[in-house]
């Protein structure tokens, strides 16, 4: 390997290589079920909690930590590789990428992100924040394909735009590029579509719709999106459906908000009826960070966090992203870890619900090749120099050129050239 002595934690090595779930001759279905059968009730929630590294490991079975979720909105958002000298390739913001109307460009960016996150993962690079968790996961919590309907949202730059068709095509081709690499046996990386669904309120507002950062009570954690069946079907669902059915996305993130009174991460219509039963989704679902807590604390859909955990796990939210307290090296507030046992005892969910969530989450790690021999896996031998390589930066440059939208000189009321007698304000961080 080009990585020499670098030691990424691996499953199925040494004394732990003889387990049935390590036998790559068996089907992944058999192997995942065998692994679940070997876990005790205390261990199970740790494998369903994002950002608990390095606590999210099962040492007695040789199962290493796995840091679910690195953001990859327009490039891998991690620390730099090669001893902090080579940083991930950065493409333009998605709102700009939407203006290219180019499926090849979207797929190309996905491919670059998928290749670079594998390389950075092998280099043991952490996420780009103070805790620098070891190490970034292989599932990107991207793309954001929410519909931009209001300029006041604040995260408009993260999505390709307001059109369900364009957003769906963008999500599908981003996914195809990111997940499908040179080895058809495994996923190169994993797309996690977000935020499912109707997430488009970011600030803090009062009950009358006035922005009030200090005293407002209406925000993304409390908002209930009241949407007609028609608008849900025609506007908010199509991009997710296309990304899953046509793109094969293996991950979905349920959003903070509620839809018609039901929190997204406890919403069986979204997570079971549509996602799995209708669209045939066979991947994993994660909550947005803290969204399970919102089920009880902000939406008051359940009486307490035990009820919130029961509602989430029984309705299809497999992985829970723990709240992230300041100055902690990893998430320490996971409701799944604290309350899953109580939720089962109180019959708010079943052991089968828990095991099904484990099946979905662990299957992703098997599909990534993390429990198989690595000698013949190209994804375990990605050169560090692919990160920010000339080929990748050239593609980012070409994509940038494709996205520029130029104003055309008019005849009746020309926009360009500007009248030299007037002044024009160019405002914002991109002005320079």
């Amino acid at each position: 390997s080009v990585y020499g002595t670098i030691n990424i934690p691996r499953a199925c090595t040494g004394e732990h290589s003889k387990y049935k779930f390590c036998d790559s001759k068996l089907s992944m279905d058999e192997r995942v079920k065998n692994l679940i059968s070997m876990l005790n009730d205390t261990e199970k929630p740790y494998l369903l909690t994002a950002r608990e590294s390095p606590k999210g490991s099962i040492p007695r079975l040789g199962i290493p930590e796995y840091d679910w979720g690195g953001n990859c909105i327009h490039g891998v958002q991690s620390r730099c590789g090669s001893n902090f000298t080579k940083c991930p390739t950065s493409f333009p913001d998605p709102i700009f990428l939407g203006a290219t109307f180019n499926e090849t460009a979207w797929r190309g960016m996905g491919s670059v992100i998928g290749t670079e996150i594998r390389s950075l993962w092998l280099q043991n690079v952490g996420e780009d924040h103070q805790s620098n968790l070891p190490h970034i996961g292989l599932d990107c919590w991207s793309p954001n394909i929410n519909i931009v309907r209001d300029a006041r949202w604040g995260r408009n730059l993260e999505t390709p735009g307001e059109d369900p068709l364009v957003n769906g095509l963008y999500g599908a081709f981003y996914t195809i590029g990111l997940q499908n690499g040179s080895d058809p046996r495994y996923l190169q990386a994993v797309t996690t579509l977000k935020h499912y669904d109707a997430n488009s309120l970011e600030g803090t507002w009062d009950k009358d719709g006035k922005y009030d950062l200090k005293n407002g009570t209406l925000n993304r954690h409390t908002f209930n999106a009241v949407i007609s069946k028609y608008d849900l079907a025609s506007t908010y669902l199509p991009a997710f459906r296309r990304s899953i059915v046509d793109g094969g996305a293996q991950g979905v993130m349920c959003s903070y908000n509620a839809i018609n009174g039901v929190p997204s991460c406890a919403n069986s219509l979204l997570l079971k009826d549509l996602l799995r039963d209708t669209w045939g989704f066979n991947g994993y679902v994660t909550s947005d960070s803290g969204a399970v807590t919102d089920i009880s604390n902000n939406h008051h859909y359940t009486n307490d966090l035990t009820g919130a955990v029961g509602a989430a796990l029984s309705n299809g939210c497999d992985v829970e992203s723990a709240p992230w307290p300041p100055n902690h090296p990893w998430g320490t507030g996971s409701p799944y870890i604290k309350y899953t046992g109580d939720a089962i005892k109180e019959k708010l969910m079943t052991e089968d619900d828990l095991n099904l969530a484990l099946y979905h989450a662990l299957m992703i790690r098997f599909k990534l090749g993390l429990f198989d021999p690595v000698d013949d896996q190209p994804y375990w031998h990605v050169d560090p120099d692919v990160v920010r390589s000339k080929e990748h930066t050239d593609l980012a440059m070409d994509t940038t050129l494709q996205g520029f939208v130029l104003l055309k000189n008019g005849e009746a009321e020309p926009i360009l050239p500007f009248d030299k007698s007037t002044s024009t304000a160019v405002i914002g961080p991109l002005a320079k």
Side-chain angles (χ1 to χ4, degrees), residues 281-345:
F281 177 70
N282 65 348
Y284 86 107
V285 173
T286 181
S287 76
D288 205 339
S289 298
V292 171
T293 300
D294 289 340
I295 293 172
S296 61
N297 291 10
N298 287 309
H299 294 299
H300 308 294
Y301 186 71
T302 61
N303 294 327
D304 53 28
L305 285 171
T306 301
V309 168
L313 279 166
S314 65
N315 286 297
C317 180
D318 306 311
V319 172
E320 191 265 330
S321 183
W324 207 325
N327 304 317
H328 282 247
W330 50 76
T332 57
S334 167
Y336 274 20
I337 292 173
K338 291 183 178 180
Y339 301 108
T340 295
D342 292 337
I344 292 174
K345 289 176 185 175

Side-chain angles (χ1 to χ4, degrees), residues 1-267:
S1 169
V2 294
Y3 290 90
T5 59
I6 292 179
N7 183 26
I8 299 300
R10 281 178 47 203
C12 298
T13 60
E15 62 179 315
H16 302 294
S17 62
K18 303 301 182 183
Y19 301 128
K20 184 177 178 180
F21 66 79
C22 294
D23 186 353
S24 59
K25 296 183 178 66
L26 299 176
S27 70
M28 287 187 184
D29 176 74
E30 290 178 276
R31 298 169 68 192
V32 171
K33 288 177 179 176
N34 172 255
L35 173 51
I36 293 171
S37 73
M38 298 179 68
L39 299 169
N40 62 49
D41 291 344
T42 303
E43 293 167 334
K44 289 178 179 180
Y46 281 94
L47 296 176
L48 298 177
T49 304
R51 294 174 167 163
E52 279 284 320
S53 331
K55 294 165 71 177
S57 60
I58 311 296
R60 71 177 183 87
L61 297 177
I63 300 173
E65 54 81 23
Y66 182 77
D67 179 27
W68 293 93
N71 280 306
C72 312
I73 293 295
H74 55 102
V76 182
Q77 289 176 239
S78 72
R79 298 202 171 192
C80 301
S82 300
N83 294 319
F84 299 98
T85 62
K86 296 196 73 174
C87 301
T89 304
S90 182
F91 284 74
D93 286 328
I95 196 68
F96 184 99
L97 293 167
T100 68
F101 294 99
N102 189 334
E103 297 163 354
T104 303
W106 303 333
R107 184 175 60 206
M109 181 182 72
S111 179
V112 166
I113 292 172
T115 303
E116 292 195 356
I117 199 170
R118 271 285 179 168
S119 176
L120 292 160
W121 178 77
L122 286 166
Q123 295 178 59
N124 209 12
V125 169
E127 292 186 58
D128 189 20
H129 46 65
Q130 188 175 2
S131 65
N132 188 29
L133 292 181
H135 39 67
I136 193 165
L138 291 171
D139 53 308
C140 284
W141 281 0
S142 308
N144 184 344
I145 52 172
N146 288 133
I147 302 299
V148 176
R149 274 194 156 177
D150 193 320
R152 296 171 297 177
W153 177 17
R155 291 176 73 170
N156 304 34
L157 75 164
E158 285 189 21
T159 96
E162 74 279 5
D163 183 73
L165 174 61
V166 170
N167 284 20
L169 290 169
Y170 176 86
F173 280 94
Y174 175 109
T175 296
I176 290 168
L178 185 136
Q179 292 188 169
N180 305 322
S182 60
D183 189 346
R185 298 173 299 170
Y186 303 102
L187 295 170
Q188 175 175 246
V190 177
T191 288
T192 307
L193 309 169
K194 66 184 190 184
H195 311 81
Y196 185 60
D197 198 4
N199 177 79
S200 57
L201 186 141
E202 199 71 20
T204 302
W205 315 76
D206 67 17
K207 60 183 177 60
D208 298 317
K210 180 182 178 182
Y211 189 75
D212 187 342
L213 188 61
K214 186 175 181 180
N215 300 309
T217 58
L218 184 65
N219 55 52
R220 63 183 182 173
H221 296 281
T222 63
F223 184 58
N224 174 37
V226 179
I227 307 173
S228 69
K229 290 181 179 179
Y230 176 84
D231 206 14
L232 191 63
S234 63
T235 303
Y236 294 103
L237 294 173
F240 287 94
R241 180 189 181 279
R242 187 178 294 274
S243 299
I244 291 162
V245 175
D246 295 348
Q250 288 288 293
V252 169
M253 176 186 287
C254 51
S255 54
Y256 291 120
N257 56 278
I259 293 180
N260 297 331
V262 183
S264 295
C265 292
N267 196 315

